Amino acid sequence: MSNYPKQVSIVEVGARDGLQNEASVIELPVKLDFINGLLRAGLRRIEAGSFVSPKWVPQMADSADVFKGLTNGSGVTFSALTPNEKGMLAAIDAGVDEVAVFAAASESFSQRNINCSIEQSLERFEPVFTLARQHNLQVRGYVSCVMGCPYEGDINPNAVLAVSQALLDKGCYEISLGDTIGTGTPGQTERLLSTLLTTIPATNLAVHFHDTYGQALANILVALQHGISVIDAAAGGLGGCPYAAGASGNVATEDVVYMLNGMGIHSGVDLDALVATSTQIFNHLNREPASRTMRALLARHHNMF
Ligand code: HMG
Ligand code: MG
């Protein structure tokens, strides 16, 4: 186990990637309670919303109010997706701590998700980078469809490398590798990372795996073996992507934390506090959580009484 990182940083994306894909729009006070619960559970990097077109993603239309309703604390980063200048200006006005741009390794997915080519998306991000520099904000870069695309099938790791490097060159400090439709396997993860790590340091990479085919934890293990220590996850396994039919939620934060705890890798997350928060949001959504760890812990809890 000696090659694994001793500490891992979890980027909690449930309030954005999770709730953007829920059919029902969650009211502002419920969202704020959820995010404050994530904070109490020890999560320190929280993606709390996105400044995108409300016509495309109505679930995120209240993001300005979400950020205005949160209390910034030291050591806590509340981030938001900003696809263009308009989104960036709104994010700055709302007081975000960090922003994220999102590109794809597949042309078809880029068109469906943000209505432009990969090249055009990089141009649209220019004002985001300029404003970020002026306002001292760090920019994270997502690359979607790093292993598979709903329209193009398998994706060549070199396509992922090209767009990741372009985002780093423009000023991103970290690239989050999105297996948007969750089709990737450990073998593909191994091939992808072997390609990327020839030129990009592990410290500039994060993994963002959806769990559609139940491969996310195994893929994360491969990423840990390669020295990657930033993992995106969503409380209870909330999530999906409205532009990737059939894609299920992000890997569940509880499942990641349970695995890390067992491996002696520190994440700073209190599993019981997290389950309590996730339970509230899933009760509100009136559905069962995807997280196996959460379901097991809740069942154990019920059996004790
Ligand atoms: P567009 O229609 O090409 O843009 O949208 P446009 O510039 O032609 O503007 C059209 C309308 O949108 C105008 O309004 C603009 O004002 C408005 P109208 O005049 O028609 O009333 N508009 C905006 N409104 C609010 N905020 C903005 C904004 N920009 C334009 N920032 C755009 C381009 C990118 C905005 C659109 O395609 C969009 O919002 N797409 C949604 C993308 C999205 O949120 N996808 C889900 C998140 S990505 C994801 O989940 C993947 C990830 O998790 C990683 C992974 O899993 O792989 C990150
Ligand atoms: Mg995602």
Side-chain angles (χ1 to χ4, degrees), residues 41-58:
L43 288 149
R44 290 294 169 263
R45 292 183 64 178
I46 298 177
E47 198 170 72
S50 64
F51 293 88
V52 299
S53 162
K55 286 183 194 144
W56 286 62
V57 190

Side-chain angles (χ1 to χ4, degrees), residues 67-78:
F67 281 91
K68 286 177 184 163
L70 293 170
T71 310
N72 305 57
S74 80
V76 176
T77 303
F78 292 122

Side-chain angles (χ1 to χ4, degrees), residues 109-128:
F109 189 82
S110 184
Q111 288 291 352
R112 304 279 179 119
N113 191 33
I114 49 176
N115 206 18
C116 63
S117 69
I118 298 171
E119 192 60 40
Q120 284 167 333
S121 75
L122 296 172
E123 280 162 30
R124 281 191 195 177
F125 300 152
E126 285 296 352
V128 175

Side-chain angles (χ1 to χ4, degrees), residues 13-28:
V13 297
R16 194 281 302 170
D17 208 349
L19 297 187
Q20 81 178 9
N21 200 39
E22 291 299 331
S24 50
V25 174
I26 306 294
E27 307 87 71
L28 181 64

Side-chain angles (χ1 to χ4, degrees), residues 255 258 289 291-303:
D255 296 1
Y258 181 82
S291 168
R292 303 277 290 270
T293 297
M294 185 174 158
R295 296 205 311 242
L297 289 176
L298 287 173
R300 203 170 70 180
H301 183 77
H302 286 308
N303 288 340

Side-chain angles (χ1 to χ4, degrees), residues 13 16-17 20 47 50-57 60 81-88 90 101-103 109 111-116 124 142-146 176-181 208-210 232 240-243 250:
V13 297
R16 194 281 302 170
D17 208 349
Q20 81 178 9
E47 198 170 72
S50 64
F51 293 88
V52 299
S53 162
K55 286 183 194 144
W56 286 62
V57 190
M60 293 290 114
L81 297 189
T82 51
N84 54 16
E85 182 173 26
K86 183 174 172 126
M88 183 61 174
V101 293
F102 46 111
F109 189 82
Q111 288 291 352
R112 304 279 179 119
N113 191 33
I114 49 176
N115 206 18
C116 63
R124 281 191 195 177
Y142 280 101
V143 178
S144 289
C145 298
V146 295
S176 179
L177 301 167
D179 184 11
T180 318
I181 54 169
H208 177 107
F209 293 153
H210 287 252
D232 297 5
C241 180
Y243 304 107
N250 298 89

